[in-house]
Every structure is written in structure tokens, then in C-alpha cells.
Amino acid sequence: QVELRESGGGSVLPGGFLRLTCTLSGHSYKDSIMAWFRQRPGNEGGGVAAIDSDGTTFYVDSVKGRFTISKDSGENHLYLQMDNLQPEDTAMYYCAADHRECFPGILWRVVGSFVFWGRGTQVTVAT
């Protein structure tokens, strides 16, 4: 049974940091693209960062230089290190994975591109 489970969310002050972890099970993710998405209240969800099967990383412009996506060698943990968090980063963060190794262009940012999803972890950045 495929399962993706996020952890590591919480509440921090602006400028703070968090590290999200996604534990993946029930499927071989060695040849999978994996990603982090977020959904702010009242907005559609969108991709924040992705890492393909070769380890190539992708980021949305608003998090470049602040967020780092990585995975462990066993391919069953996905991480998102989030530094210098700002109030606009407040959102529910979701882990996603797909059968495919990579996507062309910016399709990794599209919710419908991924078939496996976690239930999310809340990140709140506020004074």
C-alpha cells in the first residue's frame, strides 16, 4: 500500500527555519520524481520544489535560495529544508511522488502531474 507521510511542520517566527520530512512506503521510488507542494488558504496548490530520479532539483522562484529539497540514498525519505521563512510561506505543505522519472518544463509544478500524495503538514510563519 502506497503511503506518503509528512512531518516537521509547525509555527515559527519570520526568519526562522523548519525541516519537513516525507516518509514514503509501499512503492519503489528509486526512479520517481518527488516534490513538495503547498496550498495557502483561499488559493490553489502549487509546486514549491521537486527532485527528479537523477537528483536534479527544481524550485519556484519565490523560494530559491531559501528552500532546499533533498532525498536520502534509500529513496524513501524526502526532505525540505526551509530557511528564512516568511509569513507568505504559511501554508499546508504536501509531499508528492509519481511513477515517472522527470517532467518536461514546469509540469512538476502542476498538482495533476503526480499520482501519490501525503495528507499534509501545516507550516505557520507569524509574529
Side-chain angles (χ1 to χ4, degrees):
Q1 181 178 351
V2 173
E3 183 177 11
L4 281 64
R5 182 172 296 179
E6 303 92 341
S7 61
S11 297
V12 297
L13 296 172
F17 64 90
L18 287 171
R19 188 188 197 212
L20 304 184
T21 298
C22 177
T23 301
L24 307 96
S25 60
H27 178 74
S28 174
Y29 299 95
K30 183 177 181 296
D31 298 320
S32 296
I33 184 170
M34 296 181 281
W36 288 96
F37 281 70
R38 68 184 179 189
Q39 184 171 20
R40 300 186 188 93
N43 291 314
E44 295 183 4
V48 174
I51 184 167
D52 70 15
S53 60
D54 289 337
T56 302
T57 57
F58 308 87
Y59 298 94
V60 66
D61 285 346
S62 61
V63 307
K64 283 181 180 177
R66 301 189 298 124
F67 290 12
T68 304
I69 189 171
S70 61
K71 59 184 177 180
D72 65 5
S73 59
E75 314 281 345
N76 61 349
H77 288 95
L78 180 70
Y79 307 101
L80 185 68
Q81 177 68 40
M82 305 186 294
D83 296 322
N84 191 20
L85 283 162
Q86 300 300 316
E88 54 266 31
D89 296 316
T90 295
M92 185 71 79
Y93 284 72
Y94 298 90
C95 171
D98 192 76
H99 298 289
R100 287 166 285 189
E101 297 181 355
C102 62
F103 291 124
I106 60 171
L107 280 180
W108 67 268
R109 295 173 57 180
V110 177
V111 169
S113 295
F114 291 83
V115 295
F116 301 127
W117 290 88
R119 295 189 176 185
T121 186
Q122 177 68 37
V123 171
T124 302
V125 186
T127 56

